[in-house]
Amino acid sequence: MISKYFNWSDAKIVAFQKALLEWYDREGRQLPWRVDHDPYHVFVSEIMLQQTQVQTVIPYYLDFIASFPTVGELASAPESKLLKAWEGLGYYSRVRNMQKAAQQIMRDYAGQWPTTAAKLQTLTGIGPYTAAAIASIAFNQPIAAIDGNAFRVFARLLKIDLDISKSQTRPVFQAIGDRLISVARPGDFNQAIMDLGTSYLTAKQPDAEHSPVRDFDESLADGTTLAYPVKTKKAKPIDFYYYALAIQSPEGWLFEQRPTKGMLARLWMLPLIDRDDLTTSDPKEVLAELSTLFQQETEIHAEFHEVEMKPVIHTFTHQKWHIQIVQAKLTSTPNLSLFSGKWLSLAAIAEAPLPTVQLKLNQQLFV
């Protein structure tokens, strides 16, 4: 399978490495996690960069390292502090798995990082790409880090027409990447491929003609750059419709903690009621039914009214939430014995670990 797409001579491989690394030395991005080769810094940055753009990650990374400067401090940090530090990055399982991995390092490796990609993959939340990135950058292991950028770069260079959304494709790219990688500078090679994929060989508006490796680019030669990589389109996320209950009492706003498992686990949000749980779609009757459903669950009587706010829309990987805010103001503060919630002041809301979708609700409600 590999020979179908890759038949470069050793001399051509060396020439490719030279062109790529000379460009990287001149123009590689100056990023805060590249100032050293500390495996912890590589680890934090790579986990943050999953599904998040570099410019968004930089301030989060700096704050996170300031709050948890070592793997030991990450391992022992209170979850609430971790979730607050992660607030706005989304996919909160990432930071929970980071802490589990840190705890494994402290418990199973006496605080010392495993130095090979194979051993790094035994840590919670670390897959083949992240393991290869840490192993190559921090420990000089010559193993290619195959992420979206590497898929795109190698697919275009070699006109690889395999569907990158299929699991059986990764081993082919891994084998090719491992053939191409610089043994002397594996970490720089992987980071150069990352930078190439975010500059000259971007997904939608590439500038392959001015790429530092244009002489090796087979898709550029025949004008098929945008045909690669081949990827099956993902299914559209499923729409879900909710009402967010913005209930205010003299002690603050009512928030509830999400369940311990599932989406947004253990984060704090306004109470939500699924539109499908209602028996009516009549706007006037909806408010009354929301009040009834909430009272049945909590024994708290709240009369809701509409607010002139656009629905908040937030897209997860497989779901798209549409949330309409309704509001109620109570003259006294009821007991919460039947409800797993808290009354939070605005100051307390600012300190609580909130998911991104709740931050969007806050922007509508507390402006």
Side-chain angles (χ1 to χ4, degrees):
M1 178 67 79
I2 297 170
S3 60
K4 176 181 178 182
Y5 299 102
F6 187 75
N7 57 5
W8 288 9
S9 66
D10 289 345
K12 187 171 182 178
I13 292 172
V14 170
F16 174 77
Q17 293 170 350
K18 183 174 185 292
L20 179 68
L21 290 171
E22 285 182 352
W23 167 75
Y24 180 72
D25 289 339
R26 294 192 311 271
E27 299 185 33
R29 290 175 294 180
Q30 301 300 307
L31 300 170
W33 46 87
R34 290 184 178 175
V35 298
D36 56 38
H37 295 161
D38 187 316
Y40 179 60
H41 296 164
V42 180
F43 168 63
V44 173
S45 66
E46 289 297 342
I47 299 298
M48 285 188 170
L49 285 165
Q50 294 172 8
Q51 298 150 322
T52 310
Q53 293 182 342
V54 168
Q55 292 307 310
T56 300
V57 163
I58 290 174
Y60 278 97
Y61 170 83
L62 294 172
D63 290 344
F64 195 92
I65 294 299
S67 298
F68 315 104
T70 67
V71 69
E73 288 175 89
L74 173 59
S76 61
E79 186 187 66
S80 59
K81 186 178 179 182
L82 278 181
L83 295 176
K84 190 63 183 176
W86 203 262
E87 186 178 275
L89 281 176
Y91 303 95
Y92 287 84
S93 60
R94 291 185 292 170
V95 72
R96 291 192 176 99
N97 287 337
M98 281 175 65
Q99 184 171 53
K100 290 177 183 177
Q103 292 167 345
Q104 286 177 267
I105 290 169
M106 301 306 295
R107 181 183 66 245
D108 301 337
Y109 295 93
Q112 299 300 308
W113 281 83
T115 60
T116 67
K119 287 187 176 181
L120 284 162
Q121 283 190 70
T122 66
L123 301 176
T124 301
I126 294 185
Y129 165 74
T130 304
I134 298 170
S136 63
I137 297 169
F139 302 113
N140 227 34
Q141 184 183 1
I143 181 169
I146 305 299
D147 68 344
N149 289 308
F151 274 125
R152 186 165 57 255
V153 169
F154 294 148
R156 288 175 175 174
L157 291 180
L158 301 167
K159 294 179 61 176
I160 302 173
D161 57 5
L162 299 174
D163 187 342
I164 66 170
S165 67
K166 296 182 177 179
S167 59
Q168 61 265 34
T169 296
R170 173 176 281 276
V172 177
F173 279 80
Q174 186 69 57
I176 290 172
D178 290 344
R179 288 283 305 277
L180 285 172
I181 197 167
S182 166
V183 174
R185 298 176 61 186
D188 288 344
F189 179 95
N190 280 330
Q191 291 180 116
I193 293 295
M194 297 174 200
D195 286 7
L196 189 60
T198 58
S199 57
Y200 292 101
L201 294 181
T202 56
K204 294 182 179 179
Q205 292 182 311
D207 182 15
E209 291 185 2
H210 297 97
S211 160
V213 294
R214 57 187 170 274
D215 293 339
F216 304 86
D217 191 332
E218 295 179 21
S219 67
L220 173 63
D222 65 4
T224 59
T225 296
L226 290 176
Y228 301 93
V230 175
K231 185 178 182 181
T232 302
K233 290 184 178 180
K234 292 182 179 179
K236 290 184 178 180
I238 300 171
D239 291 304
F240 289 83
Y241 295 85
Y242 296 99
Y243 290 97
L245 311 183
I247 304 171
Q248 186 180 19
S249 81
E251 291 189 17
W253 296 86
L254 185 60
F255 275 69
E256 69 173 334
Q257 191 172 32
R258 300 278 297 177
T260 56
K261 294 183 179 180
M263 292 183 64
L264 311 179
R266 297 192 292 280
L267 298 173
W268 289 85
M269 283 195 69
L270 295 176
L272 297 179
I273 291 182
D274 193 322
R275 190 179 72 178
D276 288 346
D277 291 341
L278 302 180
T279 61
T280 180
S281 59
D282 185 303
K284 294 180 181 179
E285 295 178 2
V286 162
L287 296 172
E289 189 169 2
L290 288 172
S291 178
T292 299
L293 289 173
F294 186 69
Q295 187 166 6
Q296 288 173 347
E297 181 182 347
T298 66
E299 293 190 358
I300 297 172
H301 178 67
E303 293 186 7
F304 295 105
H305 60 85
E306 293 180 337
V307 289
E308 293 184 3
M309 299 177 187
K310 294 180 179 179
V312 167
I313 298 175
H314 186 75
T315 303
F316 301 94
T317 304
H318 304 296
Q319 297 186 14
K320 185 175 184 179
W321 287 11
H322 305 253
I323 305 176
Q324 180 65 58
I325 299 173
V326 296
Q327 196 165 350
K329 188 167 186 178
L330 310 181
T331 56
S332 61
T333 303
N335 186 286
L336 296 179
S337 58
L338 298 181
F339 184 70
S340 60
K342 290 182 179 179
W343 298 103
L344 299 180
S345 65
L346 291 179
I349 292 169
E351 293 299 319
L354 309 176
T356 301
V357 62
Q358 180 59 51
L359 297 178
K360 291 182 178 180
L361 293 167
N362 290 356
Q363 290 173 356
Q364 289 269 39
L365 192 60
F366 303 132
V367 291

